[in-house]
Amino acid sequence: MAARTVFKKWKKFHGILYNHLTRSHSKGMTLTFLGTGVATGIVLYNVSSSKVIAAQTMLNVSNFMAQPITSVDKLQENPDDMKTKMELLILKIQADFCKQLESLEDDNSHFKVDRWARAEGGGGITCVLQNGTVFEKAGVNISVVSGLLPPGAIQQMRARGKQIDEGSLPFFAAGVSAVIHPRNPMVPTIHFNYRYFEIENKDGSIQWWFGGGTDLTPYYLNEEDVKHFHSTLKEACDKHNLSYYAKFKKWCDDYFYINHRGECRGVGGIFFDDLDIPSQNEAFLFVKSCAEAVIPSYIPLVKLHKNDGYGYAERQWQLLRRGRYVEFNLIYDRGTKFGLYTPGARYESILMSLPLNAKWEYMHEPNPNSEEAKLVEVLKNPKDWLNST
């Protein structure tokens, strides 16, 4: 029925267009026909009289988890603005990843979609799946926020070496983040976060940069899994700069380090911050490649291990390692701290990354030569996964 209706409308439009072209041609006008496709409009230019008949390119939002934060009209009016490009990218990354995760659930579990608005400007879309058969908790968020950044948040940026004016400054930030806590201990946890930020100094100058990364936190070490994960990220990096993977892999190992435990949170991946080279568009394309590498780096691992057998001991170890995950996020993670400093912060979305269940035991140590001890050894001594034997 829908296809028949579309066809009838197209025939009607085609007739109008044909009549217009015929009349115009008989009057000696020169016309140019541009644009075809499902989401592309028709543009007719009457060169001799400078009259324009235009149907703007239509933005198809039906595949997103919810309506964009910015109005569709504004997004369509500013297709080349980096704020528009980033919002559309993160909406797509969120939707694609959520649909992949849902497809792996055995009981038809779905994400709860929570679109929220921020009084100070912008808002976000929080998608959470809890108590699934495959994923105990999975959260995939986007946020698109703007307004005035308070002195506390500015000070955090200045502490990282950013040359930013003091005081409250106008800002825009857009990003996507996700943390997946699987039910089966043989399936690793994944985290990723990709974001764009711009800030306006008091003289009107705009500073912009990108940040983000993807990292893996297994509970039991499977080296082939880790090599697949890292090789997928390296392939994404190599498309843009052959030095990126090694540089950002080390940055990831250094960043996701639980100092008071003397160990990394997981087996790493890539991480970068304050990326503002070589150009805005090239930096954006690099971030796009990294974000699009999440599904091929992780989904095959879930499919491979979601039905692996495990027992009580493996579950208890998983809960202990989740405790380490919580410690890092609440004590060290800059993104968590920045979110809490931002006016109008939405704490449910910020703390979405925490697992549904975790555990702490006093002075726990794994048995020597056990599979658990094998993992801890790697966490204390990060490896070069792609060049090790």
Side-chain angles (χ1 to χ4, degrees), residues 309-329:
Y310 67 94
Y312 177 81
E314 289 79 13
R315 170 63 171 172
Q316 297 310 301
W317 174 246
Q318 180 192 47
L319 295 177
L320 284 167
R321 294 311 311 172
R322 285 183 179 172
R324 298 288 199 268
Y325 205 95
V326 172
E327 290 176 21
F328 176 85
N329 278 29

Side-chain angles (χ1 to χ4, degrees), residues 13-78:
F13 175 76
H14 184 270
I16 295 171
L17 179 61
Y18 177 83
N19 291 335
H20 180 85
L21 286 170
T22 303
R23 289 195 305 271
S24 299
H25 181 71
S26 66
K27 295 178 182 178
M29 296 179 180
T30 303
L31 295 172
T32 305
F33 176 65
L34 301 173
T36 59
V38 174
T40 305
I42 303 297
V43 182
L44 286 171
Y45 291 91
N46 181 334
V47 178
S48 62
S49 62
S50 300
K51 291 174 64 178
V52 177
I53 301 173
Q56 283 190 335
T57 299
M58 299 302 295
L59 176 61
N60 182 6
V61 301
S62 62
N63 290 326
F64 299 151
M65 301 302 286
Q67 284 287 311
I69 304 305
T70 304
S71 73
V72 172
D73 287 345
K74 186 173 181 179
L75 292 173
Q76 290 183 158
E77 289 169 3
N78 301 281

Side-chain angles (χ1 to χ4, degrees), residues 374-386:
K374 179 182 176 183
L375 173 69
V376 172
E377 175 63 25
V378 168
L379 300 181
K380 290 182 178 293
N381 300 284
K383 291 178 62 174
D384 180 355
W385 295 102
L386 301 184

